[in-house]
Amino acid sequence: MVPRPSWDDYFMDITQRVATRSTCLRRQVGAVIVLGKRMLATGYNGAPRGMPHCDETGCLRAELGIPSGQRQEICRGLHAEQNAIIQAALHGVSVAGGTIYVTHQPCITCAKMIINAGIERVVCAHTYPDELARSFLAEAGVVLDPWVPEAQSDTAPEAGDGGKPG
């Protein structure tokens, strides 16, 4: 019998699938917010509702020669974390105390939104060169856990629920 995946592996697999909905021409990013081993909201990077996406209009950042990691506000799209938090708010779902799984470490803007939303843990598959975001998360007591797939680790933690009883 094949062993069941850890909760982190399970939710990160879903997060990676969510990222395939992204319409960003530079990087596909997905996010899943979980509380008590239950998914509350998902998000991927893309344009606001009802507006054309970058895969239709082209990348404004590329056209202006803006390097990755700089001037995030000059972009047609919202980040995956932003979209997940907005979706939860739109539907009246509190994410306080939850964990957000993301394919890429949050930027400083998303880190501030995660802090204010009351999310307690961030699990990311890929790091991002934003030390300020890391320091804000740490200062606010939000745990930033790089994801190590169970098959690559000696021990598979049964996390994934932000330490909340399931």
Side-chain angles (χ1 to χ4, degrees):
M1 186 158 100
V2 177
R4 291 170 55 180
S6 70
W7 285 109
D8 281 351
D9 283 1
Y10 174 74
F11 288 120
M12 190 56 76
D13 285 348
I14 295 168
T15 302
Q16 291 171 334
R17 181 67 176 164
V18 168
T20 66
R21 292 278 308 150
S22 170
T23 56
C24 180
L25 299 174
R26 286 187 166 190
R27 178 178 291 133
Q28 290 189 313
V29 180
V32 173
I33 302 174
V34 173
L35 180 65
K37 299 178 187 164
R38 288 171 180 76
M39 288 185 293
L40 302 179
T42 66
Y44 52 87
N45 51 335
R49 180 182 5 192
M51 295 181 66
H53 290 271
C54 299
D55 60 358
E56 301 169 58
T57 64
C59 178
L60 177 61
R61 293 173 56 80
E63 291 170 18
L64 297 174
I66 299 170
S68 179
Q70 297 179 18
R71 306 291 316 267
Q72 292 103 337
E73 75 279 7
I74 301 177
C75 180
R76 186 164 195 79
L78 289 140
H79 289 186
E81 304 94 321
Q82 294 168 348
N83 273 324
I85 291 168
I86 290 166
Q87 283 302 308
L90 184 65
H91 296 287
V93 176
S94 173
V95 297
T99 294
I100 187 166
Y101 290 85
V102 289
T103 55
H104 295 75
Q105 177 197 307
C107 69
I108 183 61
T109 301
C110 290
K112 291 186 279 188
M113 289 181 70
I114 287 165
I115 292 164
N116 272 4
I119 293 170
E120 296 178 354
R121 182 172 178 246
V122 176
V123 179
C124 63
H126 303 284
T127 58
Y128 188 74
D130 192 334
E131 290 299 325
L132 187 58
R134 285 189 202 109
S135 71
F136 268 50
L137 291 170
E139 184 178 343
V142 177
V143 176
L144 177 61
D145 283 334
W147 175 60
V148 178
E150 187 175 80
Q152 294 178 12
S153 67
D154 294 332
T155 59
E158 277 296 314
D161 60 354
K164 304 296 178 199

